[in-house]
mmCIF file of all heavy atoms in Angstrom:
data_model
loop_
_atom_site.group_PDB
_atom_site.id
_atom_site.type_symbol
_atom_site.label_atom_id
_atom_site.label_comp_id
_atom_site.label_asym_id
_atom_site.label_seq_id
_atom_site.Cartn_x
_atom_site.Cartn_y
_atom_site.Cartn_z
ATOM 1 N N LYS A 119 34.246 -46.301 -28.859
ATOM 2 C CA LYS A 119 35.560 -46.958 -28.743
ATOM 3 C C LYS A 119 35.893 -47.529 -27.366
ATOM 4 O O LYS A 119 36.696 -48.460 -27.151
ATOM 5 C CB LYS A 119 36.614 -46.153 -29.249
ATOM 6 C CG LYS A 119 36.564 -45.634 -30.714
ATOM 7 C CD LYS A 119 37.003 -46.681 -31.693
ATOM 8 C CE LYS A 119 37.040 -46.181 -33.073
ATOM 9 N NZ LYS A 119 37.330 -47.287 -34.059
ATOM 10 N N LEU A 120 35.306 -46.815 -26.363
ATOM 11 C CA LEU A 120 35.745 -47.164 -24.976
ATOM 12 C C LEU A 120 34.803 -48.219 -24.473
ATOM 13 O O LEU A 120 33.546 -48.072 -24.566
ATOM 14 C CB LEU A 120 35.664 -45.957 -24.047
ATOM 15 C CG LEU A 120 36.820 -44.922 -24.335
ATOM 16 C CD1 LEU A 120 36.481 -43.554 -23.595
ATOM 17 C CD2 LEU A 120 38.155 -45.457 -23.878
ATOM 18 N N PRO A 121 35.289 -49.252 -23.757
ATOM 19 C CA PRO A 121 34.466 -50.391 -23.347
ATOM 20 C C PRO A 121 33.583 -50.227 -22.173
ATOM 21 O O PRO A 121 32.598 -50.908 -21.989
ATOM 22 C CB PRO A 121 35.540 -51.456 -23.098
ATOM 23 C CG PRO A 121 36.751 -50.708 -22.627
ATOM 24 C CD PRO A 121 36.741 -49.451 -23.409
ATOM 25 N N HIS A 122 33.951 -49.432 -21.244
ATOM 26 C CA HIS A 122 33.185 -49.245 -19.952
ATOM 27 C C HIS A 122 32.137 -48.130 -20.151
ATOM 28 O O HIS A 122 32.099 -47.499 -21.241
ATOM 29 C CB HIS A 122 34.194 -48.942 -18.846
ATOM 30 C CG HIS A 122 33.579 -48.873 -17.461
ATOM 31 N ND1 HIS A 122 32.761 -49.834 -16.949
ATOM 32 C CD2 HIS A 122 33.697 -47.885 -16.486
ATOM 33 C CE1 HIS A 122 32.405 -49.456 -15.696
ATOM 34 N NE2 HIS A 122 32.945 -48.323 -15.470
ATOM 35 N N THR A 123 31.386 -47.824 -19.085
ATOM 36 C CA THR A 123 30.410 -46.794 -19.165
ATOM 37 C C THR A 123 31.055 -45.394 -19.410
ATOM 38 O O THR A 123 32.113 -45.130 -18.885
ATOM 39 C CB THR A 123 29.566 -46.617 -17.787
ATOM 40 O OG1 THR A 123 29.156 -47.945 -17.550
ATOM 41 C CG2 THR A 123 28.459 -45.678 -17.929
ATOM 42 N N THR A 124 30.489 -44.564 -20.373
ATOM 43 C CA THR A 124 31.176 -43.389 -20.766
ATOM 44 C C THR A 124 30.286 -42.103 -20.598
ATOM 45 O O THR A 124 29.053 -42.285 -20.419
ATOM 46 C CB THR A 124 31.513 -43.434 -22.268
ATOM 47 O OG1 THR A 124 30.268 -43.742 -23.024
ATOM 48 C CG2 THR A 124 32.569 -44.451 -22.580
ATOM 49 N N ILE A 125 30.889 -40.959 -20.617
ATOM 50 C CA ILE A 125 30.121 -39.711 -20.799
ATOM 51 C C ILE A 125 30.722 -39.142 -22.151
ATOM 52 O O ILE A 125 31.802 -39.296 -22.472
ATOM 53 C CB ILE A 125 30.297 -38.748 -19.611
ATOM 54 C CG1 ILE A 125 31.718 -38.504 -19.292
ATOM 55 C CG2 ILE A 125 29.537 -39.178 -18.458
ATOM 56 C CD1 ILE A 125 31.918 -37.444 -18.228
ATOM 57 N N GLY A 126 29.719 -38.542 -22.890
ATOM 58 C CA GLY A 126 30.080 -38.031 -24.211
ATOM 59 C C GLY A 126 29.728 -36.552 -24.440
ATOM 60 O O GLY A 126 29.005 -36.052 -23.649
ATOM 61 N N GLU A 127 30.393 -36.032 -25.497
ATOM 62 C CA GLU A 127 30.166 -34.589 -25.797
ATOM 63 C C GLU A 127 30.155 -34.488 -27.293
ATOM 64 O O GLU A 127 31.111 -34.903 -27.944
ATOM 65 C CB GLU A 127 31.251 -33.729 -25.197
ATOM 66 C CG GLU A 127 30.988 -32.307 -25.225
ATOM 67 C CD GLU A 127 29.924 -31.731 -24.279
ATOM 68 O OE1 GLU A 127 29.845 -32.175 -23.107
ATOM 69 O OE2 GLU A 127 29.194 -30.830 -24.754
ATOM 70 N N LYS A 128 29.075 -33.935 -27.859
ATOM 71 C CA LYS A 128 28.983 -33.772 -29.276
ATOM 72 C C LYS A 128 29.665 -32.546 -29.766
ATOM 73 O O LYS A 128 29.693 -31.551 -28.931
ATOM 74 C CB LYS A 128 27.566 -33.812 -29.782
ATOM 75 C CG LYS A 128 26.873 -35.170 -29.554
ATOM 76 C CD LYS A 128 25.485 -35.169 -30.237
ATOM 77 C CE LYS A 128 24.923 -36.547 -30.260
ATOM 78 N NZ LYS A 128 24.726 -37.156 -28.930
ATOM 79 N N TYR A 129 30.163 -32.478 -30.899
ATOM 80 C CA TYR A 129 30.709 -31.175 -31.497
ATOM 81 C C TYR A 129 30.503 -31.158 -32.983
ATOM 82 O O TYR A 129 30.348 -32.158 -33.625
ATOM 83 C CB TYR A 129 32.195 -31.064 -31.108
ATOM 84 C CG TYR A 129 33.097 -32.082 -31.626
ATOM 85 C CD1 TYR A 129 33.895 -31.896 -32.715
ATOM 86 C CD2 TYR A 129 33.188 -33.334 -30.969
ATOM 87 C CE1 TYR A 129 34.752 -32.879 -33.251
ATOM 88 C CE2 TYR A 129 34.097 -34.312 -31.419
ATOM 89 C CZ TYR A 129 34.814 -34.105 -32.517
ATOM 90 O OH TYR A 129 35.643 -35.051 -33.084
ATOM 91 N N ALA A 130 30.454 -29.901 -33.444
ATOM 92 C CA ALA A 130 30.091 -29.744 -34.885
ATOM 93 C C ALA A 130 31.288 -29.922 -35.756
ATOM 94 O O ALA A 130 32.400 -29.484 -35.477
ATOM 95 C CB ALA A 130 29.524 -28.305 -35.116
ATOM 96 N N LEU A 131 31.097 -30.632 -36.908
ATOM 97 C CA LEU A 131 32.088 -30.781 -37.980
ATOM 98 C C LEU A 131 31.670 -29.760 -39.100
ATOM 99 O O LEU A 131 30.583 -29.161 -39.037
ATOM 100 C CB LEU A 131 32.216 -32.091 -38.491
ATOM 101 C CG LEU A 131 32.669 -33.243 -37.514
ATOM 102 C CD1 LEU A 131 32.590 -34.564 -38.218
ATOM 103 C CD2 LEU A 131 34.039 -32.981 -37.048
ATOM 104 N N GLU A 132 32.502 -29.702 -40.138
ATOM 105 C CA GLU A 132 32.095 -28.891 -41.262
ATOM 106 C C GLU A 132 30.733 -29.308 -41.870
ATOM 107 O O GLU A 132 29.895 -28.529 -42.056
ATOM 108 C CB GLU A 132 33.152 -29.019 -42.382
ATOM 109 C CG GLU A 132 33.166 -27.893 -43.392
ATOM 110 C CD GLU A 132 34.300 -28.047 -44.377
ATOM 111 O OE1 GLU A 132 35.240 -28.852 -44.090
ATOM 112 O OE2 GLU A 132 34.269 -27.328 -45.375
ATOM 113 N N TYR A 133 30.580 -30.594 -41.893
ATOM 114 C CA TYR A 133 29.254 -31.231 -42.295
ATOM 115 C C TYR A 133 28.949 -32.228 -41.242
ATOM 116 O O TYR A 133 29.581 -33.269 -41.158
ATOM 117 C CB TYR A 133 29.393 -31.906 -43.694
ATOM 118 C CG TYR A 133 29.700 -30.903 -44.794
ATOM 119 C CD1 TYR A 133 30.978 -30.982 -45.342
ATOM 120 C CD2 TYR A 133 28.842 -29.969 -45.268
ATOM 121 C CE1 TYR A 133 31.400 -30.117 -46.302
ATOM 122 C CE2 TYR A 133 29.183 -29.152 -46.248
ATOM 123 C CZ TYR A 133 30.526 -29.192 -46.805
ATOM 124 O OH TYR A 133 30.841 -28.291 -47.785
ATOM 125 N N GLY A 134 27.984 -31.945 -40.414
ATOM 126 C CA GLY A 134 27.528 -32.942 -39.461
ATOM 127 C C GLY A 134 28.066 -32.744 -38.067
ATOM 128 O O GLY A 134 28.556 -31.722 -37.789
ATOM 129 N N VAL A 135 27.957 -33.863 -37.306
ATOM 130 C CA VAL A 135 28.271 -33.804 -35.880
ATOM 131 C C VAL A 135 29.197 -35.016 -35.616
ATOM 132 O O VAL A 135 28.979 -36.056 -36.148
ATOM 133 C CB VAL A 135 26.970 -33.851 -35.018
ATOM 134 C CG1 VAL A 135 27.299 -33.854 -33.601
ATOM 135 C CG2 VAL A 135 26.028 -32.739 -35.381
ATOM 136 N N ASP A 136 30.052 -34.898 -34.647
ATOM 137 C CA ASP A 136 30.877 -35.981 -34.142
ATOM 138 C C ASP A 136 30.760 -35.966 -32.629
ATOM 139 O O ASP A 136 30.189 -35.080 -32.009
ATOM 140 C CB ASP A 136 32.345 -35.841 -34.573
ATOM 141 C CG ASP A 136 32.953 -37.142 -34.951
ATOM 142 O OD1 ASP A 136 32.442 -38.170 -34.396
ATOM 143 O OD2 ASP A 136 33.896 -37.200 -35.736
ATOM 144 N N GLU A 137 31.226 -37.025 -32.026
ATOM 145 C CA GLU A 137 31.156 -37.082 -30.528
ATOM 146 C C GLU A 137 32.426 -37.767 -30.011
ATOM 147 O O GLU A 137 32.908 -38.706 -30.587
ATOM 148 C CB GLU A 137 29.972 -37.978 -30.190
ATOM 149 C CG GLU A 137 29.704 -38.033 -28.652
ATOM 150 C CD GLU A 137 28.331 -38.660 -28.258
ATOM 151 O OE1 GLU A 137 27.584 -39.026 -29.179
ATOM 152 O OE2 GLU A 137 28.152 -38.890 -27.034
ATOM 153 N N ILE A 138 32.871 -37.222 -28.821
ATOM 154 C CA ILE A 138 33.997 -37.866 -28.150
ATOM 155 C C ILE A 138 33.558 -38.283 -26.710
ATOM 156 O O ILE A 138 32.609 -37.737 -26.204
ATOM 157 C CB ILE A 138 35.289 -36.964 -28.066
ATOM 158 C CG1 ILE A 138 34.883 -35.581 -27.561
ATOM 159 C CG2 ILE A 138 35.959 -36.883 -29.393
ATOM 160 C CD1 ILE A 138 36.158 -34.782 -27.263
#
Side-chain angles (χ1 to χ4, degrees):
K119 300 280 188 187
L120 288 168
H122 184 51
T123 309
T124 55
I125 50 176
E127 189 73 41
K128 293 189 170 58
Y129 59 99
L131 297 174
E132 199 177 347
Y133 300 104
V135 178
D136 218 336
E137 185 171 355
I138 51 172

